[in-house]
Amino acid sequence: MAKTLLRSGCLDDFLSLGENGQTVFDSALQIRETLRLRKQQAVVDSLAIPQPNDEGDRVDWYAPCEGSVISWAAASDEQRKKALRYLDNCQANVASLIQRCGQSEKTAIQLFGSLLANALQFPGSQHVYLVDGKPVLTFWGFVSLNNSARPDPLDCLRITEEHEPVIEFLPEPPPAAPPVIVLSEPDEPLYSIAAPTPLAPLPELPPQPAPVEEIVTPAAVKKPKRWIWPVAAAIVAAIAAPVSYFVVSAPHAEPLAQKVEDVKPQAIAPAPMQAQPVVEHVSTLPVAQAAVVEAPTPEPEPVVIAATTPADVPKGALILPADALKVGSTKFLNGSWRVAINIKDSITGKPPTLRYQIANNKGNVRLVHGDNIVCKAEVFSGLMQSGTLMIKTRGNARCSDGSRYPLPEISCKPDENDVAQCSGRYDSDTVVPVTFKKVSD
C-alpha cells in the first residue's frame, strides 16, 4: 500500500546534524531499523520515512502508517497536548537508549548513540504532522540554517498556557466628610488711624487789656524838600564837563608794531672744488683671454629591468590575468583542474585530491576516497567586484555509498605574477590553502 506523502523539500535549505563526519540523514533508514529491533516501535512510528530523488538534492517524507493527516497548526489544543505527551514519552525512551549505548565498549554502538542524540531534532513546528492522531516528524535530524541544535528538541511545540486575568473588585471608599471651612483672622491694615483722644481742658487765662492805638496827627508828618533836585543836577554837570574835554584832547599812543623794510637776499659764491690725484693701477694679470672649458656631461647609466623568467611561475598553475579580471571574464578557468587541499582526510589520513571540470562558470567536481568511493557535486564560479574568483558547490558531494562528503568554498586572488593564491573555507573557523594545477583544456 502506498504511503502518504507529508512534505517535500530541498536539502540545501536545512543544516544536517551528525557525528564524526556521518549525518543522521545518511543513516536514517538504519536508525529506524535499529530502533525497531530494539522494540522502540513508538519512536519508529514518530519518524517519517525519507525518500531522496535521483539527483540527491531533494527528499520526500512519507508517513510510516495510514490515517488522516492534519498539520500541527491545524490541530486543536487537546490534540496538541496529547501528541506532545506522546513525544515526551518517546524522548525519554531515546534518552535511556542513548545512555546505554554510551556505556557500550563497541564503537559502532557508541556511534549509533551519538547519532540518536540528534535524531529528534527538527527545524520547527511546521514540520510536524498528526497521522491518525499520532505525531510524525519530518526533516528529523535537521535544523534551520544558521541555527544550532536545541537543548530541548520539543521546545517549539510546548504550549504556554495563558492565565486568565484575575479581576479584583476593590471596595468603594467611604464618603469623604465635608471640608470644614475655618475662617482666619483678617490681616491688619498697613496703616491705621488712631482714634482721637480727648484733649485736656486748657487753663483759663486772665483777660488782657485791649491795645491802645496811637493817634498820629497830620501836623506831625514832614513834607520832602523839592528844591534839592535842581541843585544836584547842576553840580554833576559842572564836574563832567572838564573830564570829557581832557579825554578828547589827549594825544594818541603810537602802535607797537612797525612795518619792517624788505631785505633782499645776497648771493653766496660756492667754494672751489679741488680734484684728488688719481693713482694709476698697473694690472699683473695675463693679457690673453682665458678659454671657458665646459664640464663633461655624464652618460646615463643603462637601466636594468629584471624580467620575470618562466621559472618563477609553476607549470600548469592557475593564472588570473589582469585584463580578464577588469572585464569580468573567467575563460581562463575553463578546463580540467587537479585541486590539492592542505588538510588530512578523516578516513584515509591523506590530503584529498579533487578533479574540477569547469566550462563557462559551470561544471562538476569529482573525488575518490577510501575503497574506491566516488563523490560528485555540481560547482559554479564567478568574479566579485573586488577581483576575487569564487568557486562554490551546491551542498556536499553525494557519494556512491550513500554518504555525503563536505567540500570547501574556494576563493582566489592574484599575486605579483598574477598566479592565483587560493584558500578553501569549510566553516567560519576552518580555512586551508588550496593549489590548482591544470590537467587539460
Side-chain angles (χ1 to χ4, degrees), residues 332-356:
F332 58 85
L333 193 60
N334 294 343
S336 180
W337 301 86
R338 182 182 293 111
V339 179
I341 303 176
N342 190 12
I343 188 174
K344 291 184 179 180
D345 188 272
S346 59
I347 300 176
T348 62
K350 298 179 180 179
T353 301
L354 294 81
R355 181 70 64 90
Y356 281 79

Side-chain angles (χ1 to χ4, degrees), residues 125-180:
S125 60
Q126 67 272 21
H127 296 82
V128 181
Y129 296 86
L130 299 183
V131 180
D132 198 15
K134 295 181 181 180
V136 178
L137 306 179
T138 63
F139 280 95
W140 51 277
F142 289 87
V143 293
S144 300
L145 293 176
N146 301 325
N147 290 339
S148 57
R150 295 183 296 273
D152 182 8
L154 307 178
D155 189 21
C156 60
L157 302 180
R158 303 196 183 278
I159 302 174
T160 56
E161 297 182 359
E162 298 182 358
H163 299 283
E164 295 182 359
V166 179
I167 301 175
E168 297 182 359
F169 295 95
L170 300 178
E172 294 183 359
V180 179

Side-chain angles (χ1 to χ4, degrees), residues 105-441:
E105 296 180 357
K106 295 182 179 180
T107 306
I109 297 179
Q110 293 179 359
L111 179 60
F112 171 74
S114 301
L115 295 176
L116 195 59
N118 294 320
L120 295 183
Q121 295 282 348
F122 55 96
S125 60
Q126 67 272 21
H127 296 82
V128 181
Y129 296 86
L130 299 183
V131 180
D132 198 15
K134 295 181 181 180
V136 178
L137 306 179
T138 63
F139 280 95
W140 51 277
F142 289 87
V143 293
S144 300
L145 293 176
N146 301 325
N147 290 339
S148 57
R150 295 183 296 273
D152 182 8
L154 307 178
D155 189 21
C156 60
L157 302 180
R158 303 196 183 278
I159 302 174
T160 56
E161 297 182 359
E162 298 182 358
H163 299 283
E164 295 182 359
V166 179
I167 301 175
E168 297 182 359
F169 295 95
L170 300 178
E172 294 183 359
V180 179
I181 301 175
V182 180
L183 298 178
S184 60
E185 295 181 359
D187 297 337
E188 295 181 357
L190 298 178
Y191 65 91
S192 61
I193 302 175
T197 56
L199 299 176
L202 298 176
E204 297 181 359
L205 298 177
Q208 295 181 359
V212 179
E213 295 181 359
E214 294 183 358
I215 300 173
V216 181
T217 58
V221 180
K222 295 181 179 180
K223 295 181 179 181
K225 296 178 180 181
R226 295 182 179 179
W227 57 270
I228 297 178
W229 294 107
V231 176
I235 294 173
V236 173
I239 296 173
V243 174
S244 57
Y245 175 78
F246 175 76
V247 173
V248 174
S249 62
H252 297 287
E254 296 181 358
L256 296 178
Q258 295 180 359
K259 183 177 179 182
V260 181
E261 296 180 358
D262 296 335
V263 179
K264 295 182 180 180
Q266 296 180 1
I268 301 175
M273 298 179 62
Q274 296 181 359
Q276 297 290 338
V278 178
V279 179
E280 184 178 358
H281 179 71
V282 180
S283 176
T284 59
L285 296 176
V287 178
Q289 185 176 2
V292 179
V293 179
E294 297 182 356
T297 304
E299 297 180 358
E301 297 181 359
V303 179
V304 180
I305 301 176
T308 303
T309 60
D312 297 337
V313 179
K315 183 178 181 180
L318 176 59
I319 305 298
L320 304 182
D323 297 338
L325 297 181
K326 290 181 180 179
V327 299
S329 175
T330 57
K331 291 184 179 180
F332 58 85
L333 193 60
N334 294 343
S336 180
W337 301 86
R338 182 182 293 111
V339 179
I341 303 176
N342 190 12
I343 188 174
K344 291 184 179 180
D345 188 272
S346 59
I347 300 176
T348 62
K350 298 179 180 179
T353 301
L354 294 81
R355 181 70 64 90
Y356 281 79
Q357 184 69 38
I358 302 175
N360 298 327
N361 293 330
K362 294 182 180 180
N364 56 73
V365 57
R366 184 174 180 271
L367 168 68
V368 179
H369 71 90
D371 297 334
N372 293 328
I373 299 176
V374 181
C375 304
K376 296 181 180 180
E378 295 181 1
V379 298
F380 58 96
S381 61
L383 284 174
M384 301 182 67
Q385 293 183 354
S386 59
T388 303
L389 175 65
M390 300 297 297
I391 304 175
K392 299 183 180 181
T393 59
R394 300 186 183 277
N396 296 332
R398 185 73 177 179
C399 301
S400 58
D401 62 347
S403 63
R404 287 183 173 271
Y405 194 91
L407 295 176
E409 177 183 305
I410 301 176
S411 61
C412 301
K413 296 182 179 180
D415 62 0
E416 296 179 356
N417 298 330
D418 294 338
V419 179
Q421 299 294 326
C422 303
S423 61
R425 179 183 295 274
Y426 285 90
D427 51 39
S428 58
D429 299 330
T430 306
V431 180
V432 296
V434 175
T435 304
F436 278 75
K437 186 175 182 180
K438 196 162 191 179
V439 178
S440 63
D441 296 331

